[in-house]
Amino acid sequence: MRILLVLAHPLEESFAASVADTVRRRLEANGHAVDLLDLYREGFDPRLTPSERARYFEPGYDPSDAEPFVSRLKEAEGLVLVFPQWWFNFPAILKGFFDRVFAPGVAFENDPAGGRIQPRLGNIRLFWAFTTTGSPWWVVHLYMGNPVKRLLKRGIAAFCAKGLDFRMVSLHDMDRASEENRKAHLARVERLAGRI
């Protein structure tokens, strides 16, 4: 399977980078072709331009302003995201990736009658996310209602593709995680990536 592995963290030596490296190595060992897209290192601009937004609902939307990222998504059969959750949300660069790359004609098609959008990412069969939160599990799930998982599963995956293998794996309370906790999480990530 050809997998687009998207990393969204500004620090090269971050724990997220270690997670992405663990996933990449395990996927490649399983025979998958991995396209690592490190949004920061590749200089991805998350800002939706005025011209992109102005023509967003026009028929035949041209996503070429976001090339080559659009092509890489279209070529993938699986999408794996690695990112921290900040303020119970995506890093801005990842949100911009969704805004600019998951565009009309790429990830979905606008219904001209104003109805439901039509999924266009039939090439994507697998959509996994590996993430961390600074808050404990109970705050993320019980108090906040796990907003990132809801956005990914119900708002992005469900509207862009059908019948996906969706999974989100999180290390909670990252700000207080010991070295032992981090190593155990990396071992869990490797085991889970081995199932892909």
Side-chain angles (χ1 to χ4, degrees):
M1 183 184 304
R2 182 173 176 79
I3 297 176
L4 180 61
L5 173 59
V6 180
L7 172 61
H9 198 291
L11 302 177
E12 290 187 57
E13 302 301 319
S14 68
F15 185 70
S18 296
V19 170
D21 186 58
T22 299
V23 170
R24 181 192 53 77
R25 284 186 290 105
R26 190 66 183 120
L27 291 175
E28 289 176 346
N30 285 358
H32 299 292
V34 178
D35 176 8
L36 175 61
L37 168 53
D38 184 332
L39 293 171
Y40 281 93
R41 254 55 64 209
E42 294 196 31
F44 177 75
D45 185 350
R47 296 171 298 172
L48 189 67
T49 67
S51 66
E52 285 172 317
R53 184 61 189 143
R55 63 183 197 274
Y56 207 77
F57 293 101
E58 292 178 4
Y61 177 84
D62 177 11
S64 61
D65 288 348
E67 284 292 345
F69 307 102
V70 166
S71 293
R72 291 164 79 175
L73 179 63
K74 285 181 170 182
E75 292 168 1
E77 298 167 283
L79 178 64
V80 177
L81 307 174
V82 179
F83 61 95
Q85 294 182 41
W86 293 330
W87 291 105
F88 306 100
N89 212 327
F90 307 112
I93 200 166
L94 184 58
K95 176 63 169 72
F97 178 75
F98 295 135
D99 289 345
R100 296 191 68 215
V101 178
F102 280 61
V106 177
F108 65 92
E109 202 63 65
N110 285 313
D111 181 344
R116 290 180 55 95
I117 61 175
Q118 303 301 315
R120 287 285 308 264
L121 283 179
N123 55 303
I124 302 292
R125 301 186 322 248
L126 174 130
F127 190 143
W128 283 28
F130 292 92
T131 183
T132 58
T133 70
S135 297
W137 179 93
W138 71 269
V139 172
V140 174
H141 289 267
L142 303 179
Y143 182 72
M144 293 300 296
N146 207 353
V148 168
K149 183 174 184 180
R150 280 196 339 262
L151 284 168
L152 283 176
K153 186 174 184 178
R154 297 181 193 171
I156 296 174
F159 286 128
C160 297
K162 294 184 185 245
L164 285 174
D165 174 5
F166 178 85
R167 185 162 195 164
M168 188 167 112
V169 179
S170 302
L171 173 61
H172 298 288
D173 216 4
M174 175 67 186
D175 298 342
R176 289 173 287 283
S178 66
E179 189 63 30
E180 183 178 314
N181 293 136
R182 293 177 188 209
K183 285 180 181 176
H185 184 71
L186 286 175
R188 179 180 179 218
V189 166
E190 185 166 10
R191 279 194 313 275
L192 291 171
R195 297 179 186 171
I196 297 174

